[in-house]
Amino acid sequence: MVYLLILPILVYTVGDTLNLPLSLGFGLSVKNGTMYFVALILALRMAIRGGYKFELQTIQVCFVLMIAYALISIVVAGLLIHYDAYKIMDAAILLKSTLIDDAVIFGLFFYGTRSVKDALLVIKSVAIMVAIANVISIASIEGFVNIPGVAATPDENGRLAGAFGGPNGTAMMVIFILPAYVAFAQASRGVWPLLWICGGLVSIATLLMTVSRGAMVGLLIAYPLAAYTFRKYVSARQVLYSVGGLVILGAICLALIGPHFVTLFLERVVTESGASDVGALSSGRSDIWLRAIEKMMAYPVTLITGFGWGVYDTMGFFFATHNYYLQLWFELGLVGLVSFLLLAWRTLATVQASIDHAPTEARGPLMAFVFGFGAFLVSLCFGGSGEQSPFVWALAGVSLRMAICVRDFSASRERDMAPAPTRALA
């Protein structure tokens, strides 16, 4: 079963990298069609073999709660309130291709993997595919290859768009997967460490070429916090070596990617980050957030209920929210926002709690997930969830499965080592 799980990830990666027109209409595409096909096989296997338990109820209930509330809000917004230009079918398709697909792919990879070995195979496969996608994107921009569907020039802002939904989405994918390369490089033998380091080098180059300040903020906030959390396992020397390695690799990447991206990086990261104006510092995001909040304040009840799923795009706002949490609050109110925050917190807490009992081969990837997922969550304050989302929730599913396997193994070992009860002598 675990080898079948690689198929939807492969289809997603190829489709996103080559920009293939895989849509089949009405919210269905070859990508999510492959995912649902593998999910159907898993469901049949679960029904025939049995032995599956309903685990991590909080996380799955949060997914269900967000989807159910979004469906109710679609009915209310489309049939009772009648927002201008609001179309129920478009909102339903958007819900299907985002929240529902994320929940399905999470469940597929959570229940499709049954052991630490299965989880490691999936994580390594995703890391390799993401590295290959980034190599193709960089090689096309630099003029080394000419592949139909892959952008051969930077976007209108001069940045690398990448394979995962534009510069910001690609950068969010990079900071999420980057710790996995470090973990596998440290745990591998032979020539593999060099290959994983190359994957990390490509990821850093991609991050610099996307020049996404939101992703860099996520990296600078989440990585140190995770390192402090795991200070029992990450020594100060390792932190210094890691920081020094990142600086050296970053300098090498800046020397290789060309003067255009070096100039763009210095302009956006150094010049704009030193601006005293809040609007310039946030690249105009603060003005977007303020308008959305002002709209909610005009109708105070929406601070609790939200306007409804997919309503933001019908309100006449010229720009997207560039803040996933604000969009959830704007559309699904406190129900959607609190559900997602609880889901994210429970995911991080479950994986983090398993670290102390994890065997050597599992501890590094589990810690890498905490680093990457934390950075992804921080970067959502400055961007949205898009093409990178299926990869994130797939790895969340397998990481949680690995955490449960570690927990169950630890509990079993403690029971075996417990002293046998003795009878009192009369």
Side-chain angles (χ1 to χ4, degrees):
M1 182 66 202
V2 66
Y3 294 102
L4 276 178
L5 295 179
I6 299 175
L7 178 61
I9 291 296
L10 177 62
V11 174
Y12 271 98
T13 305
V14 173
D16 293 340
T17 304
L18 303 181
N19 291 313
L20 298 177
L22 301 178
S23 176
L24 302 176
F26 299 104
L28 184 64
S29 68
V30 175
K31 292 190 291 187
N32 57 30
T34 305
M35 176 187 68
Y36 280 99
F37 173 73
V38 177
L40 177 61
I41 295 177
L42 175 61
L44 292 174
R45 181 178 179 178
M46 295 172 66
I48 295 172
R49 294 189 175 184
Y52 289 83
K53 297 184 296 183
F54 182 55
E55 302 167 294
L56 297 181
Q57 296 89 341
T58 301
I59 294 175
Q60 299 186 61
V61 167
C62 286
F63 267 123
V64 172
L65 187 59
M66 285 194 295
I67 294 170
Y69 190 76
L71 285 171
I72 295 172
S73 71
I74 289 174
V75 174
V76 173
L79 299 182
L80 298 181
I81 300 180
H82 298 290
Y83 290 109
D84 294 337
Y86 186 78
K87 298 180 180 179
I88 293 180
M89 184 58 68
D90 291 344
I93 291 174
L94 178 63
L95 176 63
K96 154 68 183 57
S97 60
T98 52
L99 285 183
I100 294 177
D101 280 359
D102 288 347
V104 171
I105 202 166
F106 170 81
L108 173 62
F109 281 80
F110 178 67
Y111 288 107
T113 49
R114 307 303 300 166
S115 65
V116 171
K117 182 179 178 181
D118 291 348
L120 290 176
L121 176 62
V122 173
I123 296 173
K124 289 179 179 179
S125 300
V126 173
I128 291 172
M129 292 180 196
V130 171
I132 293 173
N134 288 334
V135 168
I136 292 174
S137 299
I138 294 175
S140 181
I141 289 292
E142 296 292 343
F144 297 123
V145 297
N146 184 14
I147 301 175
V150 182
T153 57
D155 68 358
E156 63 273 12
N157 295 318
R159 304 157 67 188
L160 172 69
F164 305 101
N168 294 325
T170 298
M172 291 166 69
M173 185 69 223
V174 166
I175 62 172
F176 173 70
I177 201 69
L178 180 59
Y181 297 113
V182 178
F184 290 134
Q186 292 178 341
S188 301
R189 295 294 182 269
V191 72
W192 281 104
L194 178 61
L195 296 178
W196 290 120
I197 291 173
C198 289
L201 181 64
V202 170
S203 297
I204 294 174
T206 303
L207 179 62
L208 295 176
M209 294 173 75
T210 57
V211 202
S212 174
R213 292 192 297 166
M216 293 178 187
V217 170
L219 183 150
L220 292 175
I221 292 177
Y223 283 14
L225 287 176
Y228 179 77
T229 302
F230 298 128
R231 60 190 180 277
K232 179 179 178 181
Y233 306 102
V234 181
S235 64
R237 178 180 297 179
Q238 288 177 309
V239 172
L240 290 176
Y241 284 163
S242 299
V243 173
L246 287 174
V247 172
I248 293 173
L249 291 177
I252 295 173
C253 292
L254 283 174
L256 294 176
I257 61 180
H260 165 73
F261 290 104
V262 174
T263 303
L264 184 63
F265 177 83
L266 294 175
E267 178 183 347
R268 285 181 57 85
V269 175
V270 178
T271 305
E272 292 186 13
S273 297
S276 58
D277 180 70
V278 177
L281 182 62
S282 63
S283 297
R285 286 177 171 83
S286 59
D287 296 331
I288 299 172
W289 301 339
L290 182 60
R291 292 191 185 99
I293 293 175
E294 287 177 346
K295 188 71 173 182
M296 297 177 72
M297 293 298 293
Y299 304 91
V301 69
T302 61
L303 295 170
I304 301 174
T305 64
F307 282 98
W309 179 261
V311 173
Y312 181 86
D313 293 333
T314 69
M315 289 289 188
F317 297 111
F318 188 74
F319 296 104
T321 56
H322 290 286
N323 186 314
Y324 185 70
Y325 303 103
L326 177 59
Q327 182 153 357
L328 276 179
W329 187 25
F330 188 92
E331 296 186 342
L332 298 183
L334 293 180
V335 173
L337 180 60
V338 172
S339 296
F340 182 80
L341 292 176
L342 180 59
L343 184 158
W345 170 79
R346 189 58 183 163
T347 299
L348 278 175
T350 302
V351 175
Q352 181 180 338
S354 68
I355 301 296
D356 290 339
H357 308 289
T360 304
E361 67 272 14
R363 182 173 295 158
L366 286 171
M367 292 172 61
F369 175 79
V370 174
F371 274 83
F373 192 63
F376 173 76
L377 292 175
V378 173
S379 66
L380 285 177
C381 294
F382 309 97
S385 181
E387 278 79 353
Q388 77 281 6
S389 186
F391 298 89
V392 172
W393 291 114
L395 292 193
V398 298
S399 298
L400 286 168
R401 171 55 60 195
M402 188 157 47
I404 288 179
C405 291
V406 167
R407 182 194 65 188
D408 293 345
F409 176 76
S410 176
S412 176
R413 184 172 56 183
E414 289 177 0
R415 287 194 300 268
D416 293 341
M417 295 177 64
T422 58
R423 294 183 178 181
L425 296 178

